[in-house]
Amino acid sequence: MRAWHSLCGLFLGAAPGWYKLCILAFLCVNPLVFFTAGAFVAGWLLVVEFIFTLAMALQCYPLQAGGVLALEAVLIGMASPGAVYAEVAHNLPVLLLLMFMVAGVFFMQDLLLAVFTRLLLGLRRKWLLSLCFLLVAASLAAFLDALTVIAVVITVVGGFYSAYQRAAQSGALQEPELEQFRAFLRSLTMQAAVGTTLGGVITLVGQPQNLLVGDAMGWDFGEFARRMAPVAVPVIAAGLLTGVLLEKFRMFGYGASLPPGVRRVLEAHASQQGGQDHSRRRTVISIQAVAGVLLIAALAWHVAEVGLIGLALLLAVTAFTGVTEEKRLGQAFHAAMPFAALLVVFFAVVAVIQQAQLFTPVIRWVLGFEGRAQLAWLYLANGLLSAVSDNVFVAAVYMQQAREAFLTGQVSRGQFELFAVAINTGTNIPSVATPNGQAAFLFLLTSGVAPLIRLSYLRMVWMALPFTVVLTSVGLLAMMFLV
């Protein structure tokens, strides 16, 4: 009995007791459902359970809880190890990006904090500051990729919070200011996260599924942007306006201003940083700025896989700024590696979805429509499925179905091109609804910054809700009347 109590105490560590019981119940129920009701029902049950583990990310990091559920699914035959490996191999570029690009961005902290501190302290109107964060994130996401931009945001927000903590430990600041500062950082973080969606939809390199769609259609950078513009441009305009209105009217968790005490702390920190070894710091920032320009150019022209470009950034910045200690290098990989492992677990769930053909009924139903109604439902179905699954996987499945319809003569080349636009915009825009809809949002949710600023799964869904409704609606109207 004592051993049993010890085992229960060790299982999932410090997670609440009710959460442990839920995971154990899932582990008991899933095999019964699989062997009695079949793979389709059990597959959807696993998807719901995995989303539950993501929603409870602040209670327990979802890697272990989601991991044991995925492991059991493989063991009972819901997906084969080969299918899981195939999903991991297919998404290797994303894993390389996480391992190396995020680490490379970590060593550009001096430059990023200098730029964003000046921006934060220079713009006193919150709506204008939020608009700048939206625009900067959208512009970067159009030529980089959303995960890289989110890595930048996490680095910046983490830097601001660390500066605050140092002052708070001295007793200079009070608890109410901390809560207001958290709300302030939450709103800026979510504005930037939505900005990655706005910028990522319109260019060939903005999101991983964009490359997939562009390659299938044979569209180059300019042609891709031209095809997406009728939907993307109105959506971007609506997103920017929504961000400003949310800050102006203080709705859905937006509108919190920078507390005066925190502003004084950040100003003092900026002055202190400027006064310490100014010549050396300026040299470091100059090196990082040159590396940043080269990074943007390399990503914009896609000279190599994003992860390999990130490795090149890591090597160049650390070599020329004198970072050679293994301990300091290890810190750069601290944030990305747990999420990389979580993504592999997520790919196992995607393998279950594929093997059980969970999306097949929806795909067949959508392709049964004709004309503009078909485009509208194709857009919405891609958005809905992307919100509960992986948008790259959804785009791949739908593009495969659309390509087969074109090759067998069921649709014309013109219809095939319209399908491509609907699939790309559908997987990009409505998937902003949930953190699991986009890898960048999931990375933000599971990052070390999220618990600091109290950014939970449900809070992300709530703060994304107005953007979800507006962007999805505008995109749908543009899909029906402008494409």
Side-chain angles (χ1 to χ4, degrees):
M1 182 63 69
R2 185 174 298 173
W4 171 253
H5 282 299
S6 297
L7 179 61
C8 291
L10 289 172
F11 179 67
L12 296 182
W18 63 266
Y19 181 83
K20 297 181 181 183
L21 289 175
C22 285
I23 301 302
L24 289 173
F26 295 158
L27 291 171
C28 293
V29 168
N30 288 354
L32 296 175
V33 174
F34 177 66
F35 290 115
T36 56
F40 188 84
V41 176
W44 275 112
L45 181 61
L46 178 65
V47 170
V48 172
E49 291 167 354
F50 187 72
I51 293 174
F52 170 79
T53 65
L54 297 177
M56 297 293 109
L58 293 186
Q59 301 289 340
C60 176
Y61 192 75
L63 173 61
Q64 287 74 26
V68 294
L69 293 173
L71 179 61
E72 182 190 62
V74 174
L75 290 175
I76 65 177
M78 293 178 69
S80 67
V84 176
Y85 180 78
E87 283 297 325
V88 173
H90 179 71
N91 289 281
L92 181 60
V94 178
L95 295 174
L96 287 175
L97 185 156
L98 274 172
M99 288 188 286
F100 297 128
M101 182 62 78
V102 173
V105 169
F106 176 86
F107 288 109
M108 297 183 69
Q109 286 187 64
D110 297 285
L111 172 66
L112 295 173
L113 287 175
V115 171
F116 280 91
T117 298
R118 183 167 297 184
L119 185 66
L120 186 145
L121 297 177
L123 297 175
R124 292 182 174 270
R125 295 186 179 183
K126 178 63 185 308
W127 69 267
L128 186 57
L129 180 62
S130 296
L131 180 61
C132 285
F133 265 69
L134 259 173
L135 285 170
V136 169
S139 301
L140 290 175
F143 296 99
L144 306 182
D145 63 89
L147 272 171
T148 302
V149 177
I150 288 296
V152 170
V153 172
I154 289 171
T155 299
V156 170
V157 172
F160 287 151
Y161 196 87
S162 296
Y164 168 85
Q165 276 188 318
R166 285 192 290 271
Q169 288 170 356
S170 66
L173 298 170
Q174 304 301 319
E175 184 67 22
E177 286 188 313
L178 171 60
E179 291 305 317
Q180 185 179 344
F181 187 43
R182 281 174 173 156
F184 173 80
L185 290 179
R186 271 198 308 269
S187 60
L188 288 182
T189 302
M190 284 302 297
Q191 295 273 16
V194 171
T196 63
T197 298
L198 298 179
V201 68
I202 197 170
T203 64
L204 187 63
V205 296
Q207 295 278 6
Q209 67 267 28
N210 297 19
L211 281 170
L212 185 150
V213 172
D215 288 344
M217 302 306 299
W219 292 339
D220 59 17
F221 192 93
E223 180 69 10
F224 186 93
R226 188 181 70 83
R227 295 281 184 175
M228 299 301 155
V231 178
V233 171
V235 165
I236 292 171
L240 296 176
L241 179 60
T242 302
V244 171
L245 292 177
L246 288 173
E247 296 290 353
K248 281 277 192 180
F249 292 100
R250 298 174 174 270
M251 298 183 295
F252 292 90
Y254 295 92
S257 58
L258 182 64
V262 178
R263 177 179 290 278
R264 289 192 295 270
V265 167
L266 295 180
E267 287 174 344
H269 178 71
S271 300
Q272 184 182 20
Q273 289 292 102
Q276 291 179 346
D277 201 356
H278 180 70
S279 177
R280 184 182 185 280
R281 185 167 182 270
R282 188 168 60 181
T283 302
V284 169
I285 289 177
S286 299
I287 292 170
Q288 293 176 359
V290 171
V293 171
L294 294 175
L295 170 67
I296 293 172
L299 289 169
W301 276 281
H302 200 64
V303 298
E305 281 294 343
V306 176
L308 297 181
I309 296 174
L311 177 58
L313 173 71
L314 170 67
L315 295 173
V317 173
T318 54
F320 284 97
T321 57
V323 180
T324 57
E325 299 87 355
E326 183 181 2
K327 183 178 179 181
R328 289 187 65 189
L329 290 170
Q331 292 174 349
F333 293 91
H334 177 76
M337 293 310 295
F339 181 66
L342 178 61
L343 268 190
V344 174
V345 171
F346 183 60
F347 297 147
V349 176
V350 171
V352 171
I353 293 172
Q354 188 170 18
Q355 190 162 311
Q357 297 184 331
L358 300 187
F359 294 167
T360 300
V362 179
I363 295 170
R364 289 175 178 169
W365 177 69
V366 168
L367 294 178
F369 288 92
E370 294 182 356
R372 292 287 170 178
Q374 186 182 55
L375 290 178
W377 283 112
L378 188 61
Y379 168 86
L380 290 174
N382 272 271
L384 176 63
L385 296 179
S386 293
V388 299
S389 177
D390 171 33
N391 51 11
V392 179
F393 167 73
V394 173
V397 171
Y398 268 97
M399 282 302 297
Q400 182 181 4
Q401 295 287 328
R403 184 177 177 80
E404 288 178 3
F406 169 63
L407 294 176
T408 56
Q410 298 177 49
V411 298
S412 65
R413 173 68 189 185
Q415 288 174 298
F416 185 34
E417 290 173 348
L418 292 176
F419 283 180
V421 174
I423 291 168
N424 188 73
T425 54
T427 53
N428 270 289
I429 298 168
S431 59
V432 73
T434 64
N436 44 295
Q438 296 190 19
F441 279 48
L442 189 58
F443 182 36
L444 175 60
L445 173 68
T446 57
S447 70
V449 163
L452 296 179
I453 60 175
R454 303 296 187 265
L455 188 62
S456 65
Y457 185 99
L458 294 178
R459 182 166 268 163
M460 283 187 75
V461 171
W462 174 249
M463 295 182 76
L465 180 60
F467 288 104
T468 303
V469 173
V470 172
L471 301 185
T472 302
S473 301
V474 172
L476 178 62
L477 293 173
M479 195 73 238
M480 295 179 68
F481 300 110
L482 300 180
V483 174

